[in-house]
Amino acid sequence: FGQCMWIKSNSNGNCEHCETDNVTIQRNICRNVNGFFNFLASNASTGEQRTAVLKNVTVRNNLFQNSTTANGPSVDSIRIAGDVTNLTMDHNTITKSARGHLYFTSNNFTVPGFVYTNNVTPANQYSFFGLSCTQGNDCLNTWAPGNVVTDNVLAGASSSSNPAGNLYPSLASYGANFQNYDAGVQGNYLLADTSTWIGAADDGSNLGADMSA
């Protein structure tokens, strides 16, 4: 799929103590793929079964640019395949999504310790979706109980069905907040001087990725 895939591997189910944990992914630019992250707690391609969790993962200050069906089958910007503990996504910018934003793909495991803050993204078809739930708050509370989702931009999503404390501009106005949006493909994704997202993060900095470095 052209995604960054994080898989907790456990030697075909024979290593009960194997873990992938304490991982930080930061200050990257990922562009021209059909989806950005797929977090897996087992490797279905090798028949591995879950014996330990993928945990303590932080994704911070990354620019994810131009997810489109031209780069492969239509998928979501972020997929979480279950049994991931303490996943933090903070200060990331997504310029364009092929289908939806975040999808919980497992019907067996929840994602405790899910923190999603200060991100800037288009929601497209849906914001937070998954199996056996309604998009938005219902899916978050079903698959990520105790979640913290605040101080984000979720363009095109409904404020009535998603967490309070976030911004929900229209998709049409999303690009105006960047210096040069270029349809989310090859623009300049520093915030425009007129953007109200400047200084709006919970730490007093700008929402989205810090593109100054």
Side-chain angles (χ1 to χ4, degrees):
F1 289 125
Q3 297 171 315
C4 179
M5 301 184 70
W6 285 89
I7 302 174
K8 186 277 303 175
S9 183
N10 64 3
S11 300
N12 295 317
N14 295 315
C15 180
E16 296 184 1
H17 303 292
C18 291
E19 293 184 350
T20 301
D21 58 15
N22 300 320
V23 177
T24 298
I25 307 162
Q26 63 183 356
R27 295 197 176 280
N28 299 283
I29 297 176
C30 179
R31 61 167 64 101
N32 300 330
V33 294
N34 67 323
F36 299 116
F37 275 99
N38 196 350
F39 295 96
L40 304 175
S42 63
N43 190 346
S45 65
T46 62
E48 290 191 8
Q49 302 299 313
R50 174 235 184 221
T51 58
V53 297
L54 174 63
K55 63 182 183 180
N56 302 335
V57 178
T58 298
V59 181
R60 179 184 294 122
N61 264 323
N62 300 283
L63 173 63
F64 302 113
Q65 189 175 329
N66 190 33
S67 173
T68 170
T69 55
N71 301 315
S74 178
V75 297
D76 315 289
S77 294
I78 303 163
R79 285 192 164 195
I80 302 176
D83 211 10
V84 181
T85 298
N86 297 337
L87 171 61
T88 296
M89 306 195 76
D90 182 56
H91 277 291
N92 300 288
T93 295
I94 295 177
T95 67
K96 181 180 178 181
S97 300
R99 186 170 69 180
H101 177 47
L102 187 150
Y103 197 95
F104 296 97
T105 65
S106 173
N107 59 2
N108 297 312
F109 307 117
T110 59
V111 186
F114 178 64
V115 177
Y116 189 86
T117 51
N118 304 310
N119 301 288
V120 168
T121 180
N124 283 19
Q125 294 182 29
Y126 43 78
S127 54
F128 302 95
F129 206 18
L131 302 177
S132 305
C133 60
T134 303
Q135 71 160 306
N137 287 321
D138 184 47
C139 283
L140 282 168
N141 293 331
T142 298
W143 298 115
N147 62 83
V148 176
V149 178
T150 187
D151 296 292
N152 303 286
V153 172
L154 294 164
S158 169
S159 60
S160 62
S161 59
N162 284 279
N166 298 282
L167 300 176
Y168 298 98
S170 67
L171 285 171
S173 66
Y174 182 70
N177 286 275
F178 300 102
Q179 293 195 9
N180 176 22
Y181 185 54
D182 189 35
V185 180
Q186 296 185 50
N188 179 348
Y189 299 105
L190 289 169
L191 294 182
D193 293 341
T194 55
S195 176
T196 58
W197 306 346
I198 292 175
D202 63 7
D203 56 7
S205 65
N206 298 347
L207 293 175
D210 178 5
M211 301 301 299
S212 61

